[in-house]
Amino acid sequence: MKIYIDLWIKSLDSKTAEILRKLGYKAIAVEEERERVADLLVITKRVIEANTRKELKEKLHGIKRKHVLVSVKPLSIEAARMAAHDSRVDTIIIDDTCYKYIDRNQINLMKQHSKPLELPLGRWLTYTPRKRSAIYRRVMYYLFHTKMPLIVTSCAKNWDELLVPRSTIYLLSIAFHIPLSQAVLSLTSYPRELISRCGVSI
């Protein structure tokens, strides 16, 4: 049986947890857990936005690594470069606010340091065609030139923003020309490996 994992739920309540279970999710990473839930493995997610190297360094300082997933949304080239180097960072997010900093040099640096790219797919679908296309080109370059994992998340604030696993897998396969067998990994094995790095077994 596949273990579906969503590594970015912005806010978790009992309704969202119920839908997650019905969709087949077994583990999630959450920014804000409003209610304790059963039957789901829940770890903490820290999303850091930083404009400078200094700001990123300050925000990373003091974060406990055990059972915490750290994702960085770089808002400058220097913050992006540091995020790629820093071992405390688990994923680097690409969205409409930071895609311009995920350039070829950044992607090559991420490859050197085994830093996965995280695509909040639920948000990507809402962008303007121009921004969606710009992000698409960067994701395609990342996939083609690094052969590294693409982590797909929902960035869901409410239950109705959650990703349906099978639909997501087919969308990834069609939109990003990823074989179905590899698209499945973006919601299963790839996030599972990251959770394991945080000291959590699943």
Side-chain angles (χ1 to χ4, degrees), residues 4-163:
Y4 293 119
I5 301 170
D6 190 333
L7 288 185
W8 193 3
I9 303 291
K10 291 189 72 68
S11 183
L12 180 67
D13 55 22
S14 58
K15 178 65 174 180
T16 302
E18 177 188 354
I19 301 300
L20 281 162
R21 286 191 289 267
K22 287 181 177 179
L23 290 174
Y25 286 95
K26 299 297 181 184
I28 53 174
V30 177
E31 280 194 78
E32 179 190 3
E33 188 177 357
R34 288 187 283 175
E35 302 175 36
R36 298 297 299 177
V37 299
D39 304 323
L40 271 177
L41 174 61
V42 180
I43 69 168
T44 300
K45 183 181 179 85
R46 294 279 181 256
V47 178
I48 297 174
E49 298 185 20
N51 287 284
T52 65
R53 183 186 301 268
K54 181 181 178 182
E55 183 183 10
L56 178 55
K57 186 176 181 180
E58 289 173 350
K59 288 184 175 181
L60 285 170
H61 180 70
I63 290 180
K64 294 180 180 179
R65 294 294 294 122
K66 191 173 184 181
H67 300 179
V68 176
L69 186 86
V70 178
S71 299
V72 171
K73 189 187 294 187
L75 302 179
S76 71
I77 287 290
E78 64 173 295
R81 300 296 192 259
M82 179 180 170
H85 279 98
D86 200 298
S87 61
R88 293 169 292 184
V89 177
D90 296 300
T91 69
I92 296 178
I93 295 168
I94 183 168
D95 69 5
D96 61 330
T97 63
C98 65
Y99 67 88
K100 64 185 74 174
Y101 309 118
I102 313 297
D103 56 13
R104 291 186 178 187
N105 290 333
Q106 174 68 14
I107 289 171
N108 291 335
L109 196 59
M110 289 165 64
K111 179 181 180 181
Q112 291 176 33
H113 295 275
S114 300
K115 201 72 63 175
L117 185 67
E118 178 179 338
L119 174 66
L121 190 65
R123 292 285 178 260
W124 181 74
L125 294 169
T126 68
Y127 298 153
T128 63
R130 183 182 66 81
K131 287 187 176 181
R132 201 160 56 236
S133 177
I135 293 171
Y136 168 83
R137 290 194 299 271
R138 286 162 172 80
V139 171
M140 290 302 295
Y141 183 90
Y142 169 85
L143 290 171
F144 183 79
H145 289 280
T146 71
K147 311 298 182 185
M148 284 179 56
L150 176 65
I151 305 298
V152 174
T153 56
S154 66
C155 189
K157 296 179 182 177
N158 302 295
W159 67 267
D160 57 350
E161 295 178 343
L162 296 171
L163 298 176

